[in-house]
PDB file of all heavy atoms in Angstrom:
ATOM      1  N   SER Q1357     -11.808 -10.514   6.184  1.00 97.00           N
ATOM      2  CA  SER Q1357     -10.910 -11.657   6.163  1.00 97.00           C
ATOM      3  C   SER Q1357     -10.623 -12.076   4.737  1.00 97.00           C
ATOM      4  O   SER Q1357     -11.332 -11.692   3.792  1.00 97.00           O
ATOM      5  CB  SER Q1357     -11.494 -12.821   6.956  1.00 97.00           C
ATOM      6  OG  SER Q1357     -12.710 -13.243   6.381  1.00 97.00           O
ATOM      7  N   LEU Q1358      -9.557 -12.825   4.575  1.00 98.00           N
ATOM      8  CA  LEU Q1358      -9.175 -13.373   3.289  1.00 98.00           C
ATOM      9  C   LEU Q1358      -8.906 -14.852   3.455  1.00 98.00           C
ATOM     10  O   LEU Q1358      -8.145 -15.254   4.337  1.00 98.00           O
ATOM     11  CB  LEU Q1358      -7.912 -12.683   2.745  1.00 98.00           C
ATOM     12  CG  LEU Q1358      -7.408 -13.174   1.396  1.00 98.00           C
ATOM     13  CD1 LEU Q1358      -8.362 -12.737   0.269  1.00 98.00           C
ATOM     14  CD2 LEU Q1358      -6.009 -12.634   1.108  1.00 98.00           C
ATOM     15  N   LEU Q1359      -9.559 -15.644   2.613  1.00 98.00           N
ATOM     16  CA  LEU Q1359      -9.318 -17.087   2.604  1.00 98.00           C
ATOM     17  C   LEU Q1359      -8.583 -17.430   1.321  1.00 98.00           C
ATOM     18  O   LEU Q1359      -8.951 -16.962   0.232  1.00 98.00           O
ATOM     19  CB  LEU Q1359     -10.635 -17.863   2.655  1.00 98.00           C
ATOM     20  CG  LEU Q1359     -11.530 -17.625   3.867  1.00 98.00           C
ATOM     21  CD1 LEU Q1359     -12.828 -18.428   3.736  1.00 98.00           C
ATOM     22  CD2 LEU Q1359     -10.810 -18.016   5.153  1.00 98.00           C
ATOM     23  N   ILE Q1360      -7.556 -18.246   1.452  1.00 98.00           N
ATOM     24  CA  ILE Q1360      -6.838 -18.753   0.292  1.00 98.00           C
ATOM     25  C   ILE Q1360      -7.029 -20.261   0.256  1.00 98.00           C
ATOM     26  O   ILE Q1360      -6.558 -20.983   1.143  1.00 98.00           O
ATOM     27  CB  ILE Q1360      -5.322 -18.422   0.372  1.00 98.00           C
ATOM     28  CG1 ILE Q1360      -5.103 -16.933   0.635  1.00 98.00           C
ATOM     29  CG2 ILE Q1360      -4.627 -18.849  -0.916  1.00 98.00           C
ATOM     30  CD1 ILE Q1360      -3.637 -16.570   0.882  1.00 98.00           C
ATOM     31  N   ARG Q1361      -7.792 -20.716  -0.722  1.00 98.00           N
ATOM     32  CA  ARG Q1361      -8.055 -22.159  -0.825  1.00 98.00           C
ATOM     33  C   ARG Q1361      -6.973 -22.836  -1.639  1.00 98.00           C
ATOM     34  O   ARG Q1361      -6.302 -22.191  -2.464  1.00 98.00           O
ATOM     35  CB  ARG Q1361      -9.414 -22.388  -1.479  1.00 98.00           C
ATOM     36  CG  ARG Q1361     -10.603 -21.951  -0.655  1.00 98.00           C
ATOM     37  CD  ARG Q1361     -11.909 -22.329  -1.367  1.00 98.00           C
ATOM     38  NE  ARG Q1361     -11.997 -21.713  -2.688  1.00 98.00           N
ATOM     39  CZ  ARG Q1361     -12.304 -20.450  -2.891  1.00 98.00           C
ATOM     40  NH1 ARG Q1361     -12.579 -19.656  -1.873  1.00 98.00           N
ATOM     41  NH2 ARG Q1361     -12.357 -19.959  -4.106  1.00 98.00           N
ATOM     42  N   ASP Q1362      -6.765 -24.111  -1.401  1.00 98.00           N
ATOM     43  CA  ASP Q1362      -5.777 -24.901  -2.141  1.00 98.00           C
ATOM     44  C   ASP Q1362      -4.431 -24.140  -2.180  1.00 98.00           C
ATOM     45  O   ASP Q1362      -3.871 -23.878  -3.259  1.00 98.00           O
ATOM     46  CB  ASP Q1362      -6.274 -25.174  -3.577  1.00 98.00           C
ATOM     47  CG  ASP Q1362      -5.391 -26.132  -4.347  1.00 98.00           C
ATOM     48  OD1 ASP Q1362      -4.667 -26.925  -3.697  1.00 98.00           O
ATOM     49  OD2 ASP Q1362      -5.415 -26.069  -5.587  1.00 98.00           O
ATOM     50  N   SER Q1363      -3.926 -23.798  -1.010  1.00 98.00           N
ATOM     51  CA  SER Q1363      -2.718 -22.985  -0.920  1.00 98.00           C
ATOM     52  C   SER Q1363      -1.557 -23.634  -1.656  1.00 98.00           C
ATOM     53  O   SER Q1363      -1.341 -24.843  -1.585  1.00 98.00           O
ATOM     54  CB  SER Q1363      -2.341 -22.783   0.555  1.00 98.00           C
ATOM     55  OG  SER Q1363      -3.323 -22.029   1.216  1.00 98.00           O
ATOM     56  N   GLN Q1364      -0.814 -22.782  -2.361  1.00 97.00           N
ATOM     57  CA  GLN Q1364       0.343 -23.208  -3.137  1.00 97.00           C
ATOM     58  C   GLN Q1364       1.600 -22.547  -2.577  1.00 97.00           C
ATOM     59  O   GLN Q1364       1.542 -21.463  -2.007  1.00 97.00           O
ATOM     60  CB  GLN Q1364       0.175 -22.826  -4.612  1.00 97.00           C
ATOM     61  CG  GLN Q1364      -1.073 -23.396  -5.253  1.00 97.00           C
ATOM     62  CD  GLN Q1364      -1.027 -24.915  -5.306  1.00 97.00           C
ATOM     63  OE1 GLN Q1364      -0.045 -25.505  -5.763  1.00 97.00           O
ATOM     64  NE2 GLN Q1364      -2.106 -25.564  -4.817  1.00 97.00           N
ATOM     65  N   PRO Q1365       2.767 -23.158  -2.787  1.00 96.00           N
ATOM     66  CA  PRO Q1365       4.011 -22.509  -2.331  1.00 96.00           C
ATOM     67  C   PRO Q1365       4.151 -21.087  -2.867  1.00 96.00           C
ATOM     68  O   PRO Q1365       4.733 -20.240  -2.199  1.00 96.00           O
ATOM     69  CB  PRO Q1365       5.087 -23.442  -2.883  1.00 96.00           C
ATOM     70  CG  PRO Q1365       4.441 -24.794  -2.914  1.00 96.00           C
ATOM     71  CD  PRO Q1365       3.022 -24.510  -3.304  1.00 96.00           C
ATOM     72  N   SER Q1366       3.617 -20.824  -4.054  1.00 96.00           N
ATOM     73  CA  SER Q1366       3.693 -19.473  -4.626  1.00 96.00           C
ATOM     74  C   SER Q1366       2.824 -18.461  -3.873  1.00 96.00           C
ATOM     75  O   SER Q1366       2.937 -17.260  -4.099  1.00 96.00           O
ATOM     76  CB  SER Q1366       3.264 -19.487  -6.095  1.00 96.00           C
ATOM     77  OG  SER Q1366       1.931 -19.954  -6.223  1.00 96.00           O
ATOM     78  N   ASP Q1367       1.966 -18.925  -2.983  1.00 97.00           N
ATOM     79  CA  ASP Q1367       1.170 -18.026  -2.154  1.00 97.00           C
ATOM     80  C   ASP Q1367       1.964 -17.526  -0.936  1.00 97.00           C
ATOM     81  O   ASP Q1367       1.485 -16.663  -0.194  1.00 97.00           O
ATOM     82  CB  ASP Q1367      -0.088 -18.730  -1.648  1.00 97.00           C
ATOM     83  CG  ASP Q1367      -1.049 -19.097  -2.766  1.00 97.00           C
ATOM     84  OD1 ASP Q1367      -1.122 -18.340  -3.753  1.00 97.00           O
ATOM     85  OD2 ASP Q1367      -1.707 -20.157  -2.663  1.00 97.00           O
ATOM     86  N   SER Q1368       3.162 -18.058  -0.730  1.00 97.00           N
ATOM     87  CA  SER Q1368       3.987 -17.615   0.390  1.00 97.00           C
ATOM     88  C   SER Q1368       4.385 -16.160   0.175  1.00 97.00           C
ATOM     89  O   SER Q1368       5.101 -15.807  -0.775  1.00 97.00           O
ATOM     90  CB  SER Q1368       5.235 -18.494   0.494  1.00 97.00           C
ATOM     91  OG  SER Q1368       4.874 -19.828   0.777  1.00 97.00           O
ATOM     92  N   ALA Q1369       3.908 -15.298   1.055  1.00 97.00           N
ATOM     93  CA  ALA Q1369       4.090 -13.840   0.905  1.00 97.00           C
ATOM     94  C   ALA Q1369       3.524 -13.180   2.141  1.00 97.00           C
ATOM     95  O   ALA Q1369       2.987 -13.830   3.031  1.00 97.00           O
ATOM     96  CB  ALA Q1369       3.369 -13.336  -0.348  1.00 97.00           C
ATOM     97  N   THR Q1370       3.642 -11.864   2.177  1.00 96.00           N
ATOM     98  CA  THR Q1370       2.972 -11.075   3.208  1.00 96.00           C
ATOM     99  C   THR Q1370       1.725 -10.475   2.630  1.00 96.00           C
ATOM    100  O   THR Q1370       1.741  -9.929   1.518  1.00 96.00           O
ATOM    101  CB  THR Q1370       3.905  -9.960   3.740  1.00 96.00           C
ATOM    102  OG1 THR Q1370       5.041 -10.562   4.364  1.00 96.00           O
ATOM    103  CG2 THR Q1370       3.184  -9.095   4.766  1.00 96.00           C
ATOM    104  N   TYR Q1371       0.615 -10.579   3.355  1.00 97.00           N
ATOM    105  CA  TYR Q1371      -0.680 -10.101   2.875  1.00 97.00           C
ATOM    106  C   TYR Q1371      -1.065  -8.868   3.686  1.00 97.00           C
ATOM    107  O   TYR Q1371      -1.146  -8.917   4.912  1.00 97.00           O
ATOM    108  CB  TYR Q1371      -1.734 -11.203   2.987  1.00 97.00           C
ATOM    109  CG  TYR Q1371      -1.461 -12.314   1.976  1.00 97.00           C
ATOM    110  CD1 TYR Q1371      -0.500 -13.271   2.264  1.00 97.00           C
ATOM    111  CD2 TYR Q1371      -2.108 -12.344   0.762  1.00 97.00           C
ATOM    112  CE1 TYR Q1371      -0.205 -14.266   1.333  1.00 97.00           C
ATOM    113  CE2 TYR Q1371      -1.820 -13.334  -0.175  1.00 97.00           C
ATOM    114  CZ  TYR Q1371      -0.863 -14.287   0.122  1.00 97.00           C
ATOM    115  OH  TYR Q1371      -0.563 -15.260  -0.807  1.00 97.00           O
ATOM    116  N   LEU Q1372      -1.290  -7.782   2.966  1.00 96.00           N
ATOM    117  CA  LEU Q1372      -1.609  -6.500   3.580  1.00 96.00           C
ATOM    118  C   LEU Q1372      -3.082  -6.208   3.455  1.00 96.00           C
ATOM    119  O   LEU Q1372      -3.647  -6.294   2.359  1.00 96.00           O
ATOM    120  CB  LEU Q1372      -0.828  -5.377   2.927  1.00 96.00           C
ATOM    121  CG  LEU Q1372       0.697  -5.484   2.939  1.00 96.00           C
ATOM    122  CD1 LEU Q1372       1.317  -4.366   2.086  1.00 96.00           C
ATOM    123  CD2 LEU Q1372       1.224  -5.389   4.362  1.00 96.00           C
ATOM    124  N   CYS Q1373      -3.705  -5.852   4.545  1.00 96.00           N
ATOM    125  CA  CYS Q1373      -5.091  -5.399   4.554  1.00 96.00           C
ATOM    126  C   CYS Q1373      -5.076  -3.879   4.516  1.00 96.00           C
ATOM    127  O   CYS Q1373      -4.305  -3.233   5.246  1.00 96.00           O
ATOM    128  CB  CYS Q1373      -5.768  -5.906   5.831  1.00 96.00           C
ATOM    129  SG  CYS Q1373      -7.411  -5.268   6.127  1.00 96.00           S
ATOM    130  N   ALA Q1374      -5.916  -3.289   3.680  1.00 95.00           N
ATOM    131  CA  ALA Q1374      -5.991  -1.821   3.595  1.00 95.00           C
ATOM    132  C   ALA Q1374      -7.447  -1.392   3.650  1.00 95.00           C
ATOM    133  O   ALA Q1374      -8.318  -2.045   3.075  1.00 95.00           O
ATOM    134  CB  ALA Q1374      -5.330  -1.319   2.308  1.00 95.00           C
ATOM    135  N   VAL Q1375      -7.676  -0.297   4.334  1.00 93.00           N
ATOM    136  CA  VAL Q1375      -9.036   0.189   4.566  1.00 93.00           C
ATOM    137  C   VAL Q1375      -9.102   1.659   4.174  1.00 93.00           C
ATOM    138  O   VAL Q1375      -8.237   2.454   4.590  1.00 93.00           O
ATOM    139  CB  VAL Q1375      -9.436   0.017   6.045  1.00 93.00           C
ATOM    140  CG1 VAL Q1375     -10.817   0.588   6.297  1.00 93.00           C
ATOM    141  CG2 VAL Q1375      -9.378  -1.444   6.439  1.00 93.00           C
ATOM    142  N   ARG Q1376     -10.122   2.020   3.392  1.00 90.00           N
ATOM    143  CA  ARG Q1376     -10.271   3.428   3.039  1.00 90.00           C
ATOM    144  C   ARG Q1376     -11.124   4.106   4.096  1.00 90.00           C
ATOM    145  O   ARG Q1376     -12.201   3.601   4.443  1.00 90.00           O
ATOM    146  CB  ARG Q1376     -10.925   3.594   1.685  1.00 90.00           C
ATOM    147  CG  ARG Q1376     -11.047   5.063   1.262  1.00 90.00           C
ATOM    148  CD  ARG Q1376     -11.610   5.223  -0.138  1.00 90.00           C
ATOM    149  NE  ARG Q1376     -10.968   4.362  -1.101  1.00 90.00           N
ATOM    150  CZ  ARG Q1376      -9.725   4.532  -1.536  1.00 90.00           C
ATOM    151  NH1 ARG Q1376      -9.000   5.531  -1.110  1.00 90.00           N
ATOM    152  NH2 ARG Q1376      -9.223   3.700  -2.428  1.00 90.00           N
ATOM    153  N   SER Q1377     -10.658   5.245   4.597  1.00 79.00           N
ATOM    154  CA  SER Q1377     -11.385   5.941   5.645  1.00 79.00           C
ATOM    155  C   SER Q1377     -12.677   6.518   5.098  1.00 79.00           C
ATOM    156  O   SER Q1377     -12.845   6.669   3.895  1.00 79.00           O
ATOM    157  CB  SER Q1377     -10.522   7.051   6.250  1.00 79.00           C
ATOM    158  OG  SER Q1377     -10.248   8.040   5.293  1.00 79.00           O
ATOM    159  N   SER Q1378     -13.565   6.856   6.015  1.00 74.00           N
ATOM    160  CA  SER Q1378     -14.894   7.292   5.610  1.00 74.00           C
ATOM    161  C   SER Q1378     -14.944   8.727   5.109  1.00 74.00           C
ATOM    162  O   SER Q1378     -15.876   9.123   4.444  1.00 74.00           O
ATOM    163  CB  SER Q1378     -15.849   7.156   6.806  1.00 74.00           C
ATOM    164  OG  SER Q1378     -15.351   7.869   7.915  1.00 74.00           O
ATOM    165  N   ASN Q1379     -13.896   9.519   5.397  1.00 73.00           N
ATOM    166  CA  ASN Q1379     -14.005  10.935   5.092  1.00 73.00           C
ATOM    167  C   ASN Q1379     -12.946  11.458   4.116  1.00 73.00           C
ATOM    168  O   ASN Q1379     -12.872  12.650   3.859  1.00 73.00           O
ATOM    169  CB  ASN Q1379     -13.945  11.758   6.385  1.00 73.00           C
ATOM    170  CG  ASN Q1379     -12.690  11.468   7.175  1.00 73.00           C
ATOM    171  OD1 ASN Q1379     -11.833  10.722   6.747  1.00 73.00           O
ATOM    172  ND2 ASN Q1379     -12.604  12.065   8.355  1.00 73.00           N
ATOM    173  N   ASP Q1380     -12.128  10.575   3.563  1.00 73.00           N
ATOM    174  CA  ASP Q1380     -11.201  11.010   2.530  1.00 73.00           C
ATOM    175  C   ASP Q1380     -10.747   9.818   1.713  1.00 73.00           C
ATOM    176  O   ASP Q1380     -11.284   8.740   1.851  1.00 73.00           O
ATOM    177  CB  ASP Q1380      -9.996  11.770   3.123  1.00 73.00           C
ATOM    178  CG  ASP Q1380      -9.186  10.932   4.084  1.00 73.00           C
ATOM    179  OD1 ASP Q1380      -9.097   9.704   3.873  1.00 73.00           O
ATOM    180  OD2 ASP Q1380      -8.624  11.485   5.033  1.00 73.00           O
ATOM    181  N   TYR Q1381      -9.777  10.046   0.849  1.00 73.00           N
ATOM    182  CA  TYR Q1381      -9.389   8.992  -0.081  1.00 73.00           C
ATOM    183  C   TYR Q1381      -8.197   8.192   0.398  1.00 73.00           C
ATOM    184  O   TYR Q1381      -7.671   7.348  -0.312  1.00 73.00           O
ATOM    185  CB  TYR Q1381      -9.064   9.610  -1.444  1.00 73.00           C
ATOM    186  CG  TYR Q1381     -10.226  10.371  -2.047  1.00 73.00           C
ATOM    187  CD1 TYR Q1381     -10.129  11.703  -2.370  1.00 73.00           C
ATOM    188  CD2 TYR Q1381     -11.445   9.720  -2.267  1.00 73.00           C
ATOM    189  CE1 TYR Q1381     -11.211  12.382  -2.902  1.00 73.00           C
ATOM    190  CE2 TYR Q1381     -12.520  10.393  -2.784  1.00 73.00           C
ATOM    191  CZ  TYR Q1381     -12.395  11.735  -3.119  1.00 73.00           C
ATOM    192  OH  TYR Q1381     -13.454  12.413  -3.646  1.00 73.00           O
ATOM    193  N   LYS Q1382      -7.740   8.425   1.614  1.00 82.00           N
ATOM    194  CA  LYS Q1382      -6.525   7.759   2.065  1.00 82.00           C
ATOM    195  C   LYS Q1382      -6.809   6.309   2.444  1.00 82.00           C
ATOM    196  O   LYS Q1382      -7.890   5.962   2.903  1.00 82.00           O
ATOM    197  CB  LYS Q1382      -5.950   8.488   3.273  1.00 82.00           C
ATOM    198  CG  LYS Q1382      -5.482   9.905   2.977  1.00 82.00           C
ATOM    199  CD  LYS Q1382      -4.741  10.521   4.147  1.00 82.00           C
ATOM    200  CE  LYS Q1382      -5.640  10.741   5.342  1.00 82.00           C
ATOM    201  NZ  LYS Q1382      -4.921  11.410   6.449  1.00 82.00           N
ATOM    202  N   LEU Q1383      -5.769   5.492   2.235  1.00 89.00           N
ATOM    203  CA  LEU Q1383      -5.830   4.094   2.685  1.00 89.00           C
ATOM    204  C   LEU Q1383      -4.992   3.956   3.955  1.00 89.00           C
ATOM    205  O   LEU Q1383      -3.910   4.521   4.051  1.00 89.00           O
ATOM    206  CB  LEU Q1383      -5.247   3.153   1.637  1.00 89.00           C
ATOM    207  CG  LEU Q1383      -6.058   2.844   0.379  1.00 89.00           C
ATOM    208  CD1 LEU Q1383      -5.315   1.825  -0.482  1.00 89.00           C
ATOM    209  CD2 LEU Q1383      -7.434   2.292   0.766  1.00 89.00           C
ATOM    210  N   SER Q1384      -5.514   3.191   4.889  1.00 91.00           N
ATOM    211  CA  SER Q1384      -4.737   2.825   6.083  1.00 91.00           C
ATOM    212  C   SER Q1384      -4.405   1.351   5.945  1.00 91.00           C
ATOM    213  O   SER Q1384      -5.274   0.525   5.666  1.00 91.00           O
ATOM    214  CB  SER Q1384      -5.559   3.069   7.356  1.00 91.00           C
ATOM    215  OG  SER Q1384      -5.824   4.442   7.528  1.00 91.00           O
ATOM    216  N   PHE Q1385      -3.130   1.037   6.168  1.00 93.00           N
ATOM    217  CA  PHE Q1385      -2.651  -0.333   5.991  1.00 93.00           C
ATOM    218  C   PHE Q1385      -2.358  -0.992   7.318  1.00 93.00           C
ATOM    219  O   PHE Q1385      -1.843  -0.369   8.254  1.00 93.00           O
ATOM    220  CB  PHE Q1385      -1.359  -0.337   5.166  1.00 93.00           C
ATOM    221  CG  PHE Q1385      -1.575  -0.114   3.703  1.00 93.00           C
ATOM    222  CD1 PHE Q1385      -1.689   1.165   3.194  1.00 93.00           C
ATOM    223  CD2 PHE Q1385      -1.611  -1.183   2.834  1.00 93.00           C
ATOM    224  CE1 PHE Q1385      -1.885   1.367   1.842  1.00 93.00           C
ATOM    225  CE2 PHE Q1385      -1.787  -0.997   1.470  1.00 93.00           C
ATOM    226  CZ  PHE Q1385      -1.936   0.289   0.983  1.00 93.00           C
ATOM    227  N   GLY Q1386      -2.667  -2.285   7.385  1.00 94.00           N
ATOM    228  CA  GLY Q1386      -2.188  -3.090   8.493  1.00 94.00           C
ATOM    229  C   GLY Q1386      -0.724  -3.437   8.266  1.00 94.00           C
ATOM    230  O   GLY Q1386      -0.174  -3.208   7.180  1.00 94.00           O
ATOM    231  N   ALA Q1387      -0.098  -3.999   9.296  1.00 93.00           N
ATOM    232  CA  ALA Q1387       1.326  -4.349   9.200  1.00 93.00           C
ATOM    233  C   ALA Q1387       1.561  -5.582   8.349  1.00 93.00           C
ATOM    234  O   ALA Q1387       2.702  -5.861   7.981  1.00 93.00           O
ATOM    235  CB  ALA Q1387       1.902  -4.530  10.585  1.00 93.00           C
ATOM    236  N   GLY Q1388       0.493  -6.332   8.059  1.00 95.00           N
ATOM    237  CA  GLY Q1388       0.645  -7.491   7.203  1.00 95.00           C
ATOM    238  C   GLY Q1388       0.742  -8.800   7.962  1.00 95.00           C
ATOM    239  O   GLY Q1388       1.210  -8.832   9.106  1.00 95.00           O
ATOM    240  N   THR Q1389       0.264  -9.867   7.321  1.00 96.00           N
ATOM    241  CA  THR Q1389       0.388 -11.235   7.848  1.00 96.00           C
ATOM    242  C   THR Q1389       1.272 -12.004   6.898  1.00 96.00           C
ATOM    243  O   THR Q1389       0.989 -12.077   5.695  1.00 96.00           O
ATOM    244  CB  THR Q1389      -0.980 -11.932   7.967  1.00 96.00           C
ATOM    245  OG1 THR Q1389      -1.790 -11.202   8.891  1.00 96.00           O
ATOM    246  CG2 THR Q1389      -0.810 -13.363   8.444  1.00 96.00           C
ATOM    247  N   THR Q1390       2.326 -12.604   7.421  1.00 95.00           N
ATOM    248  CA  THR Q1390       3.230 -13.403   6.590  1.00 95.00           C
ATOM    249  C   THR Q1390       2.727 -14.836   6.529  1.00 95.00           C
ATOM    250  O   THR Q1390       2.494 -15.466   7.576  1.00 95.00           O
ATOM    251  CB  THR Q1390       4.655 -13.372   7.157  1.00 95.00           C
ATOM    252  OG1 THR Q1390       5.110 -12.026   7.158  1.00 95.00           O
ATOM    253  CG2 THR Q1390       5.587 -14.204   6.299  1.00 95.00           C
ATOM    254  N   VAL Q1391       2.544 -15.328   5.338  1.00 97.00           N
ATOM    255  CA  VAL Q1391       2.050 -16.684   5.113  1.00 97.00           C
ATOM    256  C   VAL Q1391       3.165 -17.535   4.491  1.00 97.00           C
ATOM    257  O   VAL Q1391       3.820 -17.097   3.524  1.00 97.00           O
ATOM    258  CB  VAL Q1391       0.819 -16.686   4.190  1.00 97.00           C
ATOM    259  CG1 VAL Q1391       0.412 -18.113   3.825  1.00 97.00           C
ATOM    260  CG2 VAL Q1391      -0.331 -15.927   4.831  1.00 97.00           C
TER     261      VAL Q1391
END
Side-chain angles (χ1 to χ4, degrees):
Chain Q
S1357 62
L1358 180 71
L1359 301 177
I1360 308 173
R1361 292 184 302 281
D1362 188 24
S1363 295
Q1364 302 296 309
S1366 60
D1367 295 325
S1368 297
T1370 297
Y1371 291 80
L1372 302 173
C1373 172
V1375 177
R1376 182 176 312 289
S1377 65
S1378 56
N1379 56 3
D1380 61 32
Y1381 301 122
K1382 296 188 293 183
L1383 286 182
S1384 295
F1385 284 83
T1389 297
T1390 299
V1391 174

